[in-house]
Amino acid sequence: MRKIIDTVIETVIFICAILSIIFVVLIFGFLFKEGFAFFKDFGITKFITGKFWNPSSNPALFGILPLIVGSTLVTVGACVIAVPIGVMTALYISEIAPKGIRDILKSLVELMAAIPSVVIGFVGMITLVPFVRIFFNIPTGLTAFSGSIMLAFMAMPTIVTISEDAIRSVPWHYKEGAFALGATKWQTIRRIVLKAAMPGIIAAIMLGIGRVIGETMAVMMITGNAAHIPDSIFEPVRTMTATIAAEMGETVRGDMHYKALFAIGLVLFVITFIVNFIADLFLGKSKNK
Amino acid sequence: MSKISVKNFNLYYTNFHALKNININIKEKRITAMIGPSGCGKSTLLRSINRINDTIEGAHTSGEINISGKNIYDTEMDVDVLRRNVGMVFQRPNPFPISIYENVAFGLKVNRIASNKSVIDETVEKSLKAVLLWDDIKDKLRKSALDLTLERQQRLCIARVIAVAPYIILLDEPCSSLDPVATRRIEELMIQLKDEYTIVMVTHNMQQAARISYDTAFMLLGELIEFEKTEKIFTNPSRKETEDYVTGRFG
Ligand SMILES: Nc1ncnc2c1ncn2[C@@H]1O[C@H](COP(=O)(O)OP(=O)(O)OP(=O)(O)O)[C@@H](O)[C@H]1O
Ligand SMILES: [Mg+2]
């Protein structure tokens, strides 16, 4: 009897695993099929380097350079904000904070990770956006800058949690060795702990970036969605993800515009894949040390 | 002349009384060995001499440890300066996960002993020569220290200590992760170093204590049982417990 139960459970688990693999393959297949069809019709260079995105003009323009610039700008901005704050927070939690504060901070960070991105977008829209408009005295607060700040909030939990892990797993005997040579606590952190934890911290940053690039809801609500190449971060931009989400409903299945959105998805997939791959590379490096 | 003088020294790990009223005078420019069964407090006493035990939560002390006449447990003692002057080599070689060169330069940089590149280069070379490592690795200074063999890692850790010019070197079972050949070579190194440094060494290996130390301290359950010339400890100890231990009746 117990043998039978075992076999049944094993089979169920096996089927689940196979199913999830099949789904992933199907999604890829679909993405590649539609995306490549578009590349063939429209031309990949024209697609990636085209400066204008205007699917409803005649002829329709499918240049995603403004979208790539939009995504890059918002993402880089988010990193510039989230990386220093995130890594410092991780350092504070793992090396400096007394136990009580450490526990509170850790739960706060976990709580932060649990906030749905629509909520972050919504709160950002009614608080941050007007603030940015008034503070910088610009026509609209729906800018790449506002998007970066909101995305930084979303990347922070990932960066803090994984960096903290990496910092905490730096062996005690490294620190002891540094103290024994007359190093102060801060010198030890800066010269030894951070160096030893660096692969893990880089992985944390990459995973944080991965999360931000794929983010859709909040950026759609906050960045203004203007598909043009901006002159500064204080102008509206539109990201690749927001474009797909906003326009998928307007397309006719199988037409050029529809396929173009899949092609954007493909580009996005390639970018996220590379980022995650780099993260894995560093994560592996920090584990087998 | 005594360099380190421990007076009525007690150490507690939270409530556990690990060192009980220790009194000992360690001579300058000699090798002093500390022996005793596992858990008797050898490492704890050694680690009290550079106050690295301060980093352990719950550790507190009473009594004095005087180095060159100054009580290192005085409130105005600068612990970082103390640790620069009293170097320590650990049981398991613990080079930092950075280059060989940076390992040796670390102490110079954090203590602001030298900032000039050529001075640092010179000290790195001198220190690595002192531990007889220079000729073997002078072309590999930029390589990670973790790629060295254990013996070389331990030599590097000694070089790292020598680089900041301490006057005391504490070694906690420095050979316990090394093979017998490497052990003999590190011992020879210590014999050379004792002309310039006061060396205190914890060891489990009684032959090692007999071979290289001048004085030997025997500890048991947190107490210092006997402290004498090494020869006397091993041939004619005054205390029964010492005799039982060195003749191998327990331990
Ligand atoms: N961090 C600590 N917290 C609590 N107790 C400790 C701590 N370190 C050591 N002890 C205890 O203090 C006593 C002395 O330990 P110590 O490491 O000094 O012994 P030792 O003579 O060096 O032993 P060994 O030969 O095994 O290295 C032991 O009973 C040990 O359990
Ligand atoms: Mg010990």
Side-chain angles (χ1 to χ4, degrees):
Chain A
M1 187 61 200
R2 283 173 54 194
K3 259 217 158 113
I4 298 176
I5 294 180
D6 263 22
T7 332
V8 170
I9 291 178
E10 264 175 38
T11 320
V12 169
I13 292 175
F14 178 73
I15 292 173
C16 289
I18 289 291
L19 270 181
S20 61
I21 293 174
I22 290 176
F23 285 144
V24 170
V25 169
L26 279 180
I27 292 173
F28 284 165
F30 209 59
L31 199 58
F32 279 104
K33 181 175 148 280
E34 303 287 349
F36 276 119
F38 179 82
F39 290 153
K40 241 190 22 239
D41 292 352
F42 192 76
I44 186 163
T45 343
K46 221 168 102 200
F47 177 63
I48 299 215
T49 60
K51 289 202 184 71
F52 301 97
W53 174 262
N54 199 346
S56 49
S57 68
N58 197 4
L61 295 171
F62 295 111
I64 60 164
L65 194 60
L67 311 182
I68 294 181
V69 171
S71 281
T72 312
L73 207 57
V74 174
T75 307
V76 169
C79 289
V80 169
I81 300 166
V83 168
I85 300 181
V87 174
M88 298 273 202
T89 309
L91 259 184
Y92 181 74
I93 292 179
S94 49
E95 293 287 318
I96 298 162
K99 182 139 185 1
I101 296 182
R102 181 191 323 159
D103 291 344
I104 295 173
L105 272 177
K106 279 180 84 159
S107 357
L108 274 180
V109 170
E110 268 154 40
L111 202 70
M112 223 166 121
I115 304 175
S117 70
V118 193
V119 175
I120 293 191
F122 179 64
V123 172
M125 211 158 83
I126 55 176
T127 57
L128 181 70
V129 169
F131 174 78
V132 167
R133 177 172 55 81
I134 294 161
F135 190 81
F136 293 101
N137 193 19
I138 43 181
T140 171
L142 296 166
T143 61
F145 178 69
S146 321
S148 293
I149 292 181
M150 286 338 274
L151 285 186
F153 270 105
M154 284 182 231
M156 218 109 70
T158 311
I159 297 182
V160 172
T161 327
I162 297 175
S163 305
E164 196 236 318
D165 239 27
I167 293 168
R168 213 158 17 87
S169 57
V170 172
W172 169 250
H173 63 246
Y174 288 160
K175 286 188 234 170
E176 203 171 44
F179 290 141
L181 282 167
T184 61
K185 184 162 184 173
W186 171 239
Q187 287 172 326
T188 305
I189 289 177
R190 190 165 66 87
R191 291 176 180 269
I192 303 297
V193 176
L194 274 183
K195 273 211 183 106
M198 201 36 87
I201 293 176
I202 293 177
I205 294 172
M206 293 320 271
L207 289 174
I209 294 178
R211 166 132 205 240
V212 163
I213 294 180
E215 172 50 39
T216 311
M217 244 10 249
V219 285
M220 205 153 84
M221 295 163 85
I222 286 180
T223 55
N225 290 318
H228 77 119
I229 298 176
D231 296 325
S232 83
I233 52 167
F234 296 110
E235 282 179 27
V237 293
R238 184 198 271 192
T239 64
M240 293 188 271
T241 50
T243 307
I244 299 176
E247 295 179 8
M248 198 42 113
E250 313 164 358
T251 62
V252 182
R253 197 185 161 128
D255 77 349
M256 251 335 227
H257 188 190
Y258 171 88
K259 285 184 190 154
L261 296 184
F262 272 95
I264 296 179
L266 195 56
V267 171
L268 201 55
F269 167 72
V270 170
I271 296 174
T272 344
F273 179 81
I274 293 173
V275 170
N276 279 330
F277 179 75
I278 297 176
D280 271 358
L281 222 62
F282 279 99
L283 222 46
K285 208 168 155 187
S286 77
K287 287 265 158 59
N288 59 32
K289 203 181 26 197
Chain B
M1 191 196 137
S2 82
K3 184 77 181 174
I4 308 168
S5 130
V6 181
K7 280 193 199 139
N8 304 329
F9 189 76
N10 291 276
L11 187 142
Y12 305 80
Y13 290 117
T14 319
N15 296 320
F16 177 69
H17 200 171
L19 290 178
K20 297 170 186 160
N21 207 39
I22 305 287
N23 285 282
I24 189 170
N25 288 306
I26 291 168
K27 292 188 190 68
E28 189 168 17
K29 296 192 178 164
R30 295 270 192 271
I31 299 177
T32 300
M34 297 209 255
I35 60 169
S38 193
C40 67
K42 307 179 293 292
S43 299
T44 304
L45 179 55
L46 195 74
R47 293 163 56 88
S48 301
I49 302 174
N50 66 347
R51 289 187 58 176
I52 196 82
N53 269 336
D54 290 16
T55 59
I56 292 174
E57 217 169 300
H60 55 109
T61 65
S62 70
E64 294 177 7
I65 294 183
N66 296 291
I67 293 181
S68 310
K70 263 223 240 70
N71 180 10
I72 61 167
Y73 282 86
D74 241 16
T75 37
E76 63 253 35
M77 185 74 209
D78 184 335
V79 179
D80 300 322
V81 174
L82 168 73
R83 291 188 188 145
R84 166 187 160 183
N85 291 328
V86 183
M88 174 164 247
V89 177
F90 296 83
Q91 180 166 0
R92 230 179 87 205
N94 62 344
F96 304 128
I98 49 183
S99 73
I100 295 170
Y101 179 92
E102 288 298 331
N103 261 278
V104 185
F106 180 85
L108 298 173
K109 289 183 179 165
V110 297
N111 292 298
R112 306 216 165 74
I113 295 172
S115 53
N116 180 315
K117 169 115 178 35
S118 65
V119 178
I120 295 180
D121 283 351
E122 216 172 279
T123 314
V124 168
E125 179 174 343
K126 217 174 70 199
S127 312
L128 287 172
K129 277 184 174 154
V131 298
L132 312 174
L133 209 49
W134 177 253
D135 292 328
D136 297 327
I137 61 169
K138 61 170 177 280
D139 306 318
K140 297 189 245 171
L141 294 179
R142 299 286 160 193
K143 292 253 171 69
S144 168
L146 301 183
D147 296 337
L148 296 171
T149 62
L150 274 183
E151 183 201 341
R152 286 182 174 177
Q153 287 189 8
Q154 196 61 303
R155 281 179 190 269
L156 178 64
C157 290
I158 299 174
R160 188 169 79 176
V161 165
I162 290 174
V164 297
Y167 33 79
I168 297 169
I169 301 179
L170 311 170
L171 304 104
D172 194 346
E173 302 186 38
C175 302
S176 66
S177 51
L178 305 181
D179 62 55
V181 178
T183 298
R184 289 310 291 259
R185 288 203 293 252
I186 297 277
E187 285 175 10
E188 276 156 28
L189 174 60
M190 282 196 268
I191 291 171
Q192 277 183 23
L193 292 176
K194 76 160 195 297
D195 295 335
E196 284 188 60
Y197 305 93
T198 303
I199 295 178
V200 187
M201 173 188 66
V202 168
T203 179
H204 256 131
N205 176 336
M206 274 182 275
Q207 285 80 27
Q208 180 169 67
R211 275 194 299 264
I212 66 173
S213 70
Y214 183 84
D215 287 325
T216 295
F218 171 64
M219 295 179 68
L220 189 61
L221 296 171
E223 286 180 77
L224 179 68
I225 302 295
E226 189 166 354
F227 179 58
E228 273 295 344
K229 290 252 158 39
T230 300
E231 209 183 287
K232 181 159 173 6
I233 291 273
F234 284 102
T235 56
N236 182 25
S238 352
R239 295 277 297 262
K240 178 86 173 55
E241 298 94 318
T242 316
E243 188 179 345
D244 287 349
Y245 184 73
V246 300
T247 53
R249 239 164 284 169
F250 76 96

